[in-house]
Amino acid sequence: MILITGGAGYIGSHSAIDFIKSGYDVVILDNLSVGHIEIIDRLKEFAKDKKGNFVDFVNADIRDTYALNVLFNTYKIDAVVHFAADALVNESVNNPRKYYENNVLGTINLLNAMVENKIPKIVFSSTCATYGEPKEVPIDETHIQKPVNPYGNSKLAIEFAIKDYAHAYGLKYTIFRYFNVIGADEDGISGEWHDNETHLVPNILKADENKVFSLFGNDYDTKDGTCVRDYIDVCDLARAHTLAFEYLCEEDSKSTILNLGTGEGQSVKEIFSAVESALKTKIPLKLCPRREGDPAKLIADAALAGDTLGWSSKIPLEISIKNAAKWEKTLSTLKCTEAKA
């Protein structure tokens, strides 16, 4: 049985979908501060349709030591897949206390509970933000880690904690450093659902005559002057977590740190054009000055994930955008239902 923390959120819920598809039983721990109970309901319905998968939900916070110990004594957990975290860069700058309390202290509570209850494996959701301003592109796992904001600092602190706990207490881990995640599952079970949306693709999709899309900076040293990022589909990303668990179950496997990305970069203009093409419509656009701290290029070297897990990104950008657009329509219906409830 797999414990997924933060499983009512965007990436965590897609990981739950992949584990369910792969035949695993899942327990989701989420405090619903940014996740949604509707997603839990949809995951349970999906598991019921798969006939045989067990999915349960615990409404609790990783900072609640008592709740963690009750959970580990209630369910026979084989591994923890840890997504629960705050993840807004600007918010972390303005309120670092929140990020150190939730991300760092919460994870220490989780690690302590794992050690006390003899849970031997963890797959952790880290970020390319731990690298900071890139010295070279593409970025491999040996790149110097020098975060430029409290969010990146909090994730790096957790990486150190996991490595230290592994050395002292025998945990086995896979740490994933994500690049830019997009898309939604093709069945429309889940997708991006943020009250304060900061990600590129959903913000382009939400643009209309009442909300113009803002493009920040067109004078970078890139192919068209806009920032270049490595956009990986959330379902490809989710698949890596299932493979990581299965890898950690191998007797001769070793703890590892892996980038997850496509190894290719698209500019903001290219993504914008791809969304217009997928929707067959013109989207209102406003050019704005650069945002402070936005590097010109962030592209992953994800070869090690392929060598270690046999993983690679497979879903084309066009499909990611179409699934994200389909999810936006589903989300509108969910929000209407939520408002009436």
Side-chain angles (χ1 to χ4, degrees), residues 180-235:
N180 290 56
V181 187
I182 60 172
D185 76 283
E186 62 182 1
D187 297 316
I189 300 163
S190 186
E192 297 206 54
W193 186 352
H194 305 123
D195 294 331
N196 178 20
E197 187 56 73
T198 61
H199 294 162
L200 177 63
V201 171
N203 272 324
I204 299 174
L205 290 168
K206 293 176 193 296
D208 55 30
E209 63 273 8
N210 299 314
K211 183 184 178 183
V212 176
F213 172 71
S214 297
L215 193 161
F216 295 96
N218 65 341
D219 58 349
Y220 289 92
D221 183 17
T222 60
K223 47 192 166 184
D224 60 19
T226 63
C227 288
V228 171
R229 296 290 183 267
D230 189 333
Y231 295 93
I232 177 173
D233 189 274
V234 67
C235 297

Coordinates of all heavy atoms in Angstrom, one line a residue, residues 180-235:
N180 N 9.2 22.1 -15.5 CA 7.8 22.7 -15.6 C 6.8 21.7 -16.0 O 6.9 21.1 -17.0 CB 7.8 23.9 -16.6 CG 8.6 25.1 -16.1 OD1 9.8 24.9 -15.7 ND2 8.0 26.2 -16.0
V181 N 5.8 21.5 -15.1 CA 4.8 20.5 -15.3 C 3.5 21.0 -15.9 O 3.0 22.1 -15.5 CB 4.4 19.8 -14.0 CG1 3.5 18.6 -14.2 CG2 5.7 19.4 -13.2
I182 N 3.0 20.3 -16.9 CA 1.8 20.8 -17.6 C 0.9 19.6 -17.9 O 1.2 18.4 -17.7 CB 2.1 21.5 -19.0 CG1 2.8 20.5 -19.9 CG2 2.9 22.7 -18.8 CD1 3.0 21.0 -21.3
G183 N -0.3 19.9 -18.4 CA -1.2 18.8 -18.8 C -2.2 18.3 -17.8 O -2.3 18.9 -16.7
A184 N -2.9 17.3 -18.1 CA -3.9 16.6 -17.3 C -4.1 15.2 -17.8 O -3.8 14.9 -19.0 CB -5.2 17.4 -17.3
D185 N -4.7 14.3 -17.0 CA -4.8 13.0 -17.4 C -5.9 12.9 -18.5 O -6.9 13.7 -18.5 CB -5.2 12.1 -16.3 CG -6.6 12.2 -15.8 OD1 -6.9 13.2 -15.1 OD2 -7.4 11.4 -16.1
E186 N -5.8 12.0 -19.4 CA -6.7 11.9 -20.6 C -8.1 11.6 -20.2 O -9.0 11.9 -21.0 CB -6.1 11.0 -21.6 CG -6.0 9.5 -21.1 CD -5.5 8.6 -22.2 OE1 -5.1 9.1 -23.3 OE2 -5.4 7.4 -21.9
D187 N -8.3 11.0 -19.1 CA -9.7 10.6 -18.7 C -10.4 11.8 -17.9 O -11.5 11.6 -17.6 CB -9.6 9.4 -17.7 CG -9.1 8.1 -18.4 OD1 -9.5 7.9 -19.6 OD2 -8.3 7.4 -17.9
G188 N -9.7 12.9 -17.7 CA -10.3 14.0 -17.1 C -10.6 13.9 -15.6 O -11.5 14.5 -15.1
I189 N -9.9 13.0 -14.9 CA -10.1 12.8 -13.5 C -9.6 14.0 -12.7 O -10.2 14.4 -11.7 CB -9.4 11.5 -13.0 CG1 -10.0 10.3 -13.8 CG2 -9.6 11.3 -11.5 CD1 -9.1 9.1 -13.7
S190 N -8.4 14.5 -13.1 CA -7.8 15.6 -12.4 C -7.1 16.5 -13.3 O -6.9 16.2 -14.5 CB -6.8 15.0 -11.3 OG -6.3 16.1 -10.5
G191 N -6.6 17.6 -12.8 CA -5.9 18.6 -13.6 C -5.5 19.8 -12.6 O -5.6 19.7 -11.4
E192 N -5.0 20.8 -13.2 CA -4.6 22.0 -12.4 C -5.8 22.7 -11.8 O -6.7 23.1 -12.6 CB -3.7 22.9 -13.2 CG -2.4 22.3 -13.6 CD -1.3 23.3 -13.9 OE1 -1.0 24.1 -12.9 OE2 -0.8 23.4 -15.0
W193 N -5.8 22.9 -10.5 CA -6.9 23.5 -9.8 C -6.4 24.3 -8.7 O -6.3 23.9 -7.6 CB -8.0 22.5 -9.3 CG -9.2 23.1 -8.8 CD1 -9.5 24.4 -8.5 CD2 -10.4 22.3 -8.4 NE1 -10.8 24.5 -8.0 CE2 -11.3 23.3 -7.9 CE3 -10.7 21.0 -8.4 CZ2 -12.6 22.9 -7.4 CZ3 -12.0 20.6 -7.9 CH2 -12.9 21.5 -7.4
H194 N -5.9 25.5 -9.0 CA -5.3 26.4 -8.0 C -6.2 27.7 -7.9 O -6.5 28.3 -8.9 CB -3.9 26.8 -8.4 CG -3.0 25.7 -8.7 ND1 -2.3 25.5 -9.9 CD2 -2.7 24.6 -7.9 CE1 -1.6 24.4 -9.8 NE2 -1.8 23.8 -8.6
D195 N -6.4 28.1 -6.7 CA -7.2 29.3 -6.5 C -6.4 30.5 -6.9 O -6.9 31.5 -7.5 CB -7.6 29.5 -5.0 CG -8.6 28.4 -4.5 OD1 -9.3 28.0 -5.4 OD2 -8.5 28.1 -3.3
N196 N -5.1 30.5 -6.8 CA -4.2 31.5 -7.2 C -3.3 30.8 -8.3 O -2.2 30.3 -8.0 CB -3.3 32.0 -6.1 CG -2.3 33.1 -6.5 OD1 -2.5 33.7 -7.6 ND2 -1.3 33.3 -5.7
E197 N -3.7 30.9 -9.6 CA -3.0 30.2 -10.6 C -1.8 31.0 -11.1 O -1.9 32.1 -11.5 CB -4.0 29.9 -11.8 CG -3.4 29.1 -12.9 CD -2.9 27.7 -12.4 OE1 -3.8 26.9 -12.0 OE2 -1.7 27.5 -12.2
T198 N -0.6 30.3 -11.0 CA 0.6 30.9 -11.4 C 1.3 30.3 -12.6 O 2.3 30.8 -13.2 CB 1.6 30.9 -10.3 OG1 1.9 29.6 -9.9 CG2 1.1 31.7 -9.1
H199 N 0.7 29.1 -13.1 CA 1.4 28.4 -14.1 C 1.0 28.8 -15.5 O -0.1 29.3 -15.7 CB 1.1 26.9 -13.9 CG 1.7 26.3 -12.7 ND1 1.3 25.1 -12.1 CD2 2.7 26.7 -11.9 CE1 2.0 24.8 -11.1 NE2 2.9 25.8 -10.9
L200 N 1.9 28.6 -16.4 CA 1.8 29.3 -17.8 C 0.5 28.8 -18.5 O -0.3 29.6 -19.0 CB 3.0 29.0 -18.6 CG 3.0 29.5 -20.0 CD1 2.9 31.0 -20.1 CD2 4.3 29.1 -20.8
V201 N 0.4 27.5 -18.8 CA -0.6 26.9 -19.7 C -2.0 27.2 -19.2 O -2.8 27.7 -19.9 CB -0.4 25.4 -19.9 CG1 -1.6 24.8 -20.7 CG2 0.9 25.2 -20.7
P202 N -2.3 27.0 -17.9 CA -3.7 27.3 -17.5 C -4.0 28.8 -17.5 O -5.1 29.2 -17.8 CB -3.8 26.8 -16.0 CG -2.4 26.5 -15.6 CD -1.6 26.2 -16.9
N203 N -3.0 29.6 -17.3 CA -3.2 31.1 -17.4 C -3.5 31.5 -18.9 O -4.3 32.4 -19.1 CB -2.1 31.9 -16.9 CG -2.2 32.1 -15.4 OD1 -3.3 32.3 -14.9 ND2 -1.1 32.1 -14.6
I204 N -2.8 30.9 -19.8 CA -3.1 31.1 -21.2 C -4.6 30.7 -21.5 O -5.4 31.4 -22.2 CB -2.1 30.5 -22.2 CG1 -0.7 31.0 -21.9 CG2 -2.5 30.7 -23.6 CD1 0.4 30.2 -22.7
L205 N -4.9 29.5 -21.1 CA -6.2 28.9 -21.3 C -7.4 29.7 -20.7 O -8.5 29.8 -21.2 CB -6.3 27.5 -20.8 CG -5.5 26.4 -21.5 CD1 -5.4 25.1 -20.8 CD2 -6.0 26.2 -22.9
K206 N -7.1 30.4 -19.6 CA -8.1 31.2 -18.9 C -8.3 32.6 -19.5 O -9.2 33.3 -19.2 CB -7.7 31.3 -17.4 CG -7.8 30.0 -16.6 CD -7.3 30.2 -15.2 CE -7.1 28.9 -14.5 NZ -8.3 28.1 -14.3
A207 N -7.3 33.0 -20.4 CA -7.4 34.3 -21.0 C -8.6 34.4 -21.9 O -8.9 33.5 -22.7 CB -6.1 34.6 -21.8
D208 N -9.3 35.5 -21.9 CA -10.4 35.8 -22.8 C -10.6 37.3 -22.9 O -9.7 38.1 -22.4 CB -11.7 35.1 -22.3 CG -12.1 35.5 -20.9 OD1 -11.7 36.6 -20.4 OD2 -12.7 34.7 -20.2
E209 N -11.7 37.8 -23.4 CA -11.9 39.2 -23.5 C -11.9 40.0 -22.2 O -11.6 41.2 -22.1 CB -13.2 39.5 -24.3 CG -14.5 39.1 -23.6 CD -14.8 37.6 -24.0 OE1 -14.0 37.0 -24.6 OE2 -15.9 37.2 -23.6
N210 N -12.1 39.2 -21.1 CA -12.2 39.8 -19.8 C -10.8 39.7 -19.0 O -10.6 40.3 -18.0 CB -13.3 39.2 -19.0 CG -14.7 39.5 -19.6 OD1 -14.9 40.6 -20.0 ND2 -15.5 38.5 -19.6
K211 N -10.0 38.8 -19.5 CA -8.7 38.5 -18.8 C -7.6 38.3 -19.9 O -7.5 37.2 -20.5 CB -8.8 37.3 -17.9 CG -7.5 37.1 -17.1 CD -7.6 35.8 -16.3 CE -6.3 35.5 -15.6 NZ -6.3 34.3 -14.8
V212 N -6.8 39.3 -20.1 CA -5.7 39.3 -21.1 C -4.5 38.5 -20.5 O -4.2 38.7 -19.3 CB -5.3 40.7 -21.5 CG1 -4.1 40.6 -22.4 CG2 -6.5 41.4 -22.1
F213 N -3.9 37.7 -21.3 CA -2.7 37.0 -20.8 C -1.5 37.9 -20.8 O -1.2 38.6 -21.8 CB -2.4 35.8 -21.8 CG -1.1 35.1 -21.4 CD1 -0.9 34.4 -20.3 CD2 0.0 35.3 -22.3 CE1 0.3 33.8 -20.0 CE2 1.2 34.7 -22.0 CZ 1.4 33.9 -20.9
S214 N -0.8 37.9 -19.7 CA 0.4 38.8 -19.6 C 1.7 38.0 -19.8 O 1.9 37.0 -19.2 CB 0.5 39.4 -18.2 OG -0.7 40.2 -17.9
L215 N 2.5 38.5 -20.8 CA 3.7 37.8 -21.2 C 4.8 38.7 -20.6 O 5.0 39.9 -20.9 CB 3.9 37.7 -22.7 CG 5.0 36.8 -23.2 CD1 4.7 36.5 -24.7 CD2 6.4 37.5 -23.1
F216 N 5.6 38.1 -19.6 CA 6.6 38.9 -18.9 C 8.0 38.8 -19.5 O 8.7 37.8 -19.4 CB 6.7 38.4 -17.4 CG 5.4 38.7 -16.7 CD1 4.5 37.7 -16.5 CD2 5.2 39.9 -16.1 CE1 3.3 37.9 -15.8 CE2 4.0 40.2 -15.4 CZ 3.1 39.2 -15.3
G217 N 8.4 39.8 -20.3 CA 9.7 39.9 -20.9 C 9.8 39.3 -22.2 O 9.5 38.1 -22.4
N218 N 10.3 40.1 -23.2 CA 10.5 39.6 -24.6 C 11.9 40.0 -25.1 O 12.1 40.1 -26.3 CB 9.4 40.0 -25.5 CG 9.4 41.5 -25.7 OD1 10.0 42.3 -24.9 ND2 8.8 42.0 -26.8
D219 N 12.8 40.2 -24.1 CA 14.2 40.7 -24.5 C 15.2 39.8 -23.9 O 16.4 40.2 -23.6 CB 14.4 42.1 -24.0 CG 14.2 42.3 -22.5 OD1 13.7 41.4 -21.9 OD2 14.5 43.4 -22.1
Y220 N 14.9 38.5 -23.6 CA 15.9 37.6 -23.1 C 16.8 37.1 -24.3 O 16.4 37.1 -25.4 CB 15.2 36.4 -22.5 CG 14.5 36.7 -21.1 CD1 13.2 37.0 -21.1 CD2 15.2 36.5 -20.0 CE1 12.5 37.3 -19.9 CE2 14.6 36.8 -18.7 CZ 13.3 37.2 -18.7 OH 12.6 37.5 -17.5
D221 N 17.9 36.5 -23.9 CA 18.9 36.0 -24.9 C 18.4 34.6 -25.2 O 19.0 33.6 -24.8 CB 20.3 36.0 -24.3 CG 21.3 35.5 -25.3 OD1 21.0 35.5 -26.5 OD2 22.4 35.1 -24.9
T222 N 17.3 34.5 -25.9 CA 16.7 33.2 -26.3 C 16.3 33.3 -27.8 O 16.4 34.4 -28.4 CB 15.5 32.8 -25.5 OG1 14.5 33.8 -25.6 CG2 15.9 32.7 -24.0
K223 N 15.8 32.2 -28.4 CA 15.5 32.2 -29.8 C 14.4 33.2 -30.2 O 14.5 33.7 -31.4 CB 15.0 30.8 -30.2 CG 14.0 30.2 -29.3 CD 13.8 28.7 -29.6 CE 13.0 28.0 -28.5 NZ 12.9 26.5 -28.8
D224 N 13.5 33.6 -29.3 CA 12.5 34.6 -29.7 C 12.4 35.7 -28.6 O 11.4 36.5 -28.7 CB 11.1 34.0 -30.0 CG 10.6 33.2 -28.8 OD1 11.0 33.4 -27.6 OD2 9.7 32.4 -29.0
G225 N 13.3 35.8 -27.7 CA 13.3 36.8 -26.7 C 12.5 36.5 -25.4 O 12.5 37.2 -24.5
T226 N 11.8 35.4 -25.4 CA 11.0 35.0 -24.2 C 11.6 33.8 -23.5 O 12.4 33.1 -24.1 CB 9.5 34.7 -24.6 OG1 9.5 33.5 -25.4 CG2 8.9 35.8 -25.3
C227 N 11.3 33.6 -22.3 CA 11.9 32.6 -21.4 C 11.7 31.2 -22.0 O 10.6 30.9 -22.6 CB 11.4 32.6 -20.0 SG 11.9 34.0 -19.0
V228 N 12.7 30.4 -21.9 CA 12.6 29.0 -22.4 C 12.6 28.1 -21.2 O 13.4 28.2 -20.3 CB 13.8 28.6 -23.3 CG1 13.8 27.1 -23.6 CG2 13.7 29.4 -24.6
R229 N 11.6 27.1 -21.2 CA 11.5 26.2 -20.1 C 11.3 24.8 -20.7 O 10.9 24.6 -21.8 CB 10.3 26.5 -19.2 CG 10.4 27.9 -18.5 CD 11.5 27.8 -17.4 NE 11.5 29.1 -16.7 CZ 12.4 30.1 -16.9 NH1 13.2 30.0 -18.0 NH2 12.4 31.1 -16.2
D230 N 11.5 23.8 -19.8 CA 11.4 22.4 -20.1 C 10.0 21.9 -19.6 O 9.8 21.8 -18.4 CB 12.5 21.6 -19.5 CG 12.5 20.1 -19.9 OD1 11.5 19.6 -20.3 OD2 13.6 19.5 -19.9
Y231 N 9.0 21.7 -20.5 CA 7.7 21.4 -20.1 C 7.4 19.9 -20.2 O 7.4 19.3 -21.3 CB 6.7 22.2 -21.0 CG 6.8 23.7 -20.8 CD1 7.6 24.4 -21.6 CD2 6.1 24.3 -19.8 CE1 7.7 25.8 -21.5 CE2 6.2 25.7 -19.6 CZ 7.0 26.4 -20.4 OH 7.1 27.8 -20.3
I232 N 7.1 19.3 -19.0 CA 6.9 17.8 -19.0 C 5.5 17.6 -18.6 O 4.9 18.2 -17.7 CB 7.9 17.2 -17.9 CG1 7.6 15.7 -17.8 CG2 7.8 17.9 -16.6 CD1 8.6 15.0 -16.9
D233 N 4.9 16.6 -19.3 CA 3.5 16.3 -19.0 C 3.3 15.6 -17.6 O 4.2 14.8 -17.2 CB 2.9 15.3 -20.1 CG 1.4 15.1 -19.9 OD1 1.0 14.2 -19.2 OD2 0.7 15.8 -20.6
V234 N 2.3 16.0 -16.9 CA 2.1 15.5 -15.5 C 1.9 14.0 -15.5 O 2.3 13.4 -14.5 CB 0.9 16.2 -14.9 CG1 -0.5 15.9 -15.6 CG2 0.8 16.0 -13.4
C235 N 1.4 13.4 -16.5 CA 1.2 11.9 -16.5 C 2.5 11.2 -16.7 O 2.8 10.1 -16.1 CB 0.2 11.5 -17.6 SG -1.5 12.1 -17.3

